[in-house]
Amino acid sequence: MLSQCAPDPPKLINVKIAVSLTPLSTAFFVAESSGYFRQCGLLPELIQVNGGKRAFELLEENRVDFSTSSDSVVSYAVQQNTTPFNILASFASSENDIKLISRQPEPLPANSTLGYWSGSASEHLMQTYLALYQSDKTFDQVDAPPEQLVSLFREGKVDVISVWEPFAWQMTDLIEQNDAHVLDAAALHSLHFLLLSNQNSKLDRTVAERLIGALQLATIKVHQHPQEVQQEIRTVLNADQSFIDWIWNDYLFQVKPATSVRYALLSNSRWFNGSRPLNYQNYLANAESLASPSDLAEQWCQDT
């Protein structure tokens, strides 16, 4: 008598995702380590990079199907009318992820040298701070990626840098010795971390739905098991608990439709483009018809 064989499990869908190596990407790291991507039918390759700007560049070069990126990077891209992409969801936010680290306390001396990374949230915060508080002074400005900005600061070649975590945390030894100061710039820029998709990708819409579902499951775990998740982030970022204590309360982890950050995007666009706001409609069109993250998790992610 022939024995009955169990049906083959569904084939997993290969997908490439550029992920910024930051605590803001916690949901991606948890979804991978906890098996939520597989549970939702995906076999992802997470390409880890320093910053949402680099992640977006990989998307723009058609080297990945999805990327993480800040709303500032997205606004710069829309302003420059780059390769078409979709804004699908927001999964984390913070008012204090990016920090201004200064050699001197406020007010900044005239002719200081300022460092930021253009086209990113780093530039956005620096320029906002200068416009609000230092508009009457002249500064030299240096454009460099965050890891280089940290080195330039330590070498005494720049006086103020705008960097996100974990790069700001790398300066805590100087801060504790009173050789560096965190300027009061919290809440000047509310950063939203977004999930983007490549409009040139051959993957169908259901892959994005599965991905959002996996992020929803991961975010639930973040809130239900914070200690376990913090240990995972320490491992991914090669950091210790002092770093987690430094940043954790500054983050809000929540998967939301991209349309929920429309106001933040419009606010950014007025800063980039003057009184005439940028048009995000073509970038948000796909997100408007997506079901809620919880419904997508229920639809696409099998119970284990």
Side-chain angles (χ1 to χ4, degrees):
M1 184 164 79
L2 296 176
S3 60
Q4 290 186 340
C5 298
D8 293 334
K11 185 177 179 180
L12 298 176
I13 303 168
N14 292 293
V15 57
K16 289 186 176 182
I17 311 170
V19 179
S20 179
L21 202 56
T22 163
L24 287 161
S25 299
T26 289
F28 284 84
F29 306 138
V30 171
E32 182 178 45
S33 63
S34 300
Y36 296 136
F37 286 131
R38 286 179 171 269
Q39 186 176 333
C40 300
L42 302 177
L43 185 61
E45 177 185 355
L46 299 189
I47 301 173
Q48 298 177 0
V49 297
N50 284 330
K53 180 179 177 181
R54 282 203 181 105
F56 180 80
E57 287 170 350
L58 293 180
L59 188 79
E60 190 177 28
E61 294 164 3
N62 297 316
R63 295 168 60 185
V64 296
D65 304 298
F66 299 90
S67 80
T68 66
S69 202
S70 73
D71 52 331
S72 295
V73 171
V74 165
S75 294
Y76 277 112
V78 172
Q79 182 188 41
Q80 296 167 9
N81 196 24
T82 60
T83 302
F85 60 93
N86 299 312
I87 309 170
L88 297 175
S90 168
F91 55 88
S93 62
S94 174
E95 292 186 345
N96 199 33
D97 178 69
I98 309 173
K99 297 177 177 68
L100 298 181
I101 310 296
S102 173
R103 204 169 301 284
Q104 300 291 332
E106 299 174 274
L108 301 183
N111 300 317
S112 297
T113 300
L114 314 181
Y116 56 83
W117 198 16
S118 64
S120 73
S122 166
E123 179 183 9
H124 191 175
L125 178 60
M126 179 68 82
Q127 298 297 349
T128 300
Y129 177 82
L130 294 179
L132 289 174
Y133 300 120
Q134 307 287 337
S135 60
D136 59 333
K137 298 177 183 176
T138 300
F139 301 99
D140 294 326
Q141 301 185 27
V142 174
D143 180 7
E147 61 272 26
Q148 188 176 340
L149 290 173
V150 170
S151 297
L152 290 172
F153 189 94
R154 289 186 175 278
E155 294 165 4
K157 296 179 180 178
V158 296
D159 302 301
V160 186
I161 58 175
S162 176
V163 290
W164 53 81
E165 300 295 355
F167 297 101
W169 174 73
Q170 293 174 10
M171 312 297 292
T172 52
D173 60 324
L174 297 180
I175 294 170
E176 290 170 356
Q177 296 166 16
N178 214 34
D179 293 328
H181 306 267
V182 180
L183 299 184
D184 185 13
L188 285 185
H189 173 54
S190 182
L191 182 148
H192 300 268
F193 234 45
L194 308 175
L195 172 64
L196 311 178
S197 69
N198 187 334
Q199 288 189 5
N200 295 325
S201 173
K202 298 189 183 336
L203 297 175
D204 66 39
R205 173 191 175 87
T206 63
V207 177
E209 294 178 345
R210 292 172 184 270
L211 179 52
I212 294 171
L215 295 178
Q216 173 69 8
L217 296 181
T219 301
I220 291 172
K221 181 175 181 179
V222 170
H223 294 291
Q224 292 182 344
H225 304 284
Q227 299 302 319
E228 180 182 343
V229 168
Q230 289 177 18
Q231 179 59 50
E232 293 180 29
I233 301 309
R234 286 176 53 186
T235 301
V236 171
L237 299 181
N238 192 27
D240 58 29
Q241 188 60 39
S242 63
F243 169 64
I244 299 298
D245 295 339
W246 165 267
I247 56 92
W248 195 254
N249 290 333
D250 290 331
Y251 296 114
L252 174 63
F253 300 105
Q254 183 180 7
V255 185
K256 299 185 292 185
T259 50
S260 67
V261 297
R262 190 191 302 270
Y263 177 80
L265 292 170
L266 290 173
S267 177
N268 285 348
S269 75
R270 290 190 177 92
W271 186 84
F272 293 127
N273 214 35
S275 60
R276 189 169 59 108
L278 299 171
N279 185 359
Y280 293 92
Q281 190 55 41
N282 291 338
Y283 302 91
L284 291 167
N286 281 10
E288 290 179 343
S289 57
L290 287 171
S292 71
S294 57
D295 286 344
L296 293 176
E298 184 176 352
Q299 179 180 358
W300 293 112
C301 305
Q302 301 175 359
D303 293 332
T304 57

